[in-house]
Amino acid sequence: MDHGLLDILACPACKSDVVYRANEAVLLCKAERLAFPVREGIPVMLVDEARSLSTDELSRLLAS
Ligand SMILES: [Zn+2]
C-alpha cells in the first residue's frame, strides 16, 4: 500500500492512526480494536465493514 496514503488514513470512528497488516489485508484501529478490510489494495474505511477484534486477536495481529 502507498505509504503516502497510509500516512493520511485514519480511523473513521475515532480519527486515530491505523496500522496496516499486509498479510491479513487489514488496517487496524488499536483504540477500538477494529480491523478495516483492504480489498484489492483499496482500504475500506467504513465502520460497518470493519471487524471487531478480541484483545488477543489484536495483539496477535500487531505482533505479526
Ligand atoms: Zn478507531
Side-chain angles (χ1 to χ4, degrees):
M1 179 176 304
D2 179 79
H3 281 281
L5 175 60
L6 209 48
D7 287 345
I8 59 170
L9 279 176
C11 171
C14 70
K15 309 297 179 229
S16 59
D17 290 342
V18 288
V19 180
Y20 181 46
R21 283 293 173 266
N23 291 344
E24 284 83 19
V26 293
L27 287 155
L28 303 172
C29 168
K30 292 189 274 186
E32 296 166 291
R33 298 203 313 271
L34 290 175
F36 295 93
V38 177
R39 296 191 184 123
E40 291 160 23
I42 299 166
V44 181
M45 303 309 288
L46 299 171
V47 176
D48 291 350
E49 297 280 334
R51 187 163 60 85
S52 282
L53 303 170
S54 66
T55 310
D56 288 355
E57 226 179 341
L58 178 66
S59 315
R60 185 181 56 76
L61 285 169
L62 289 173
S64 67

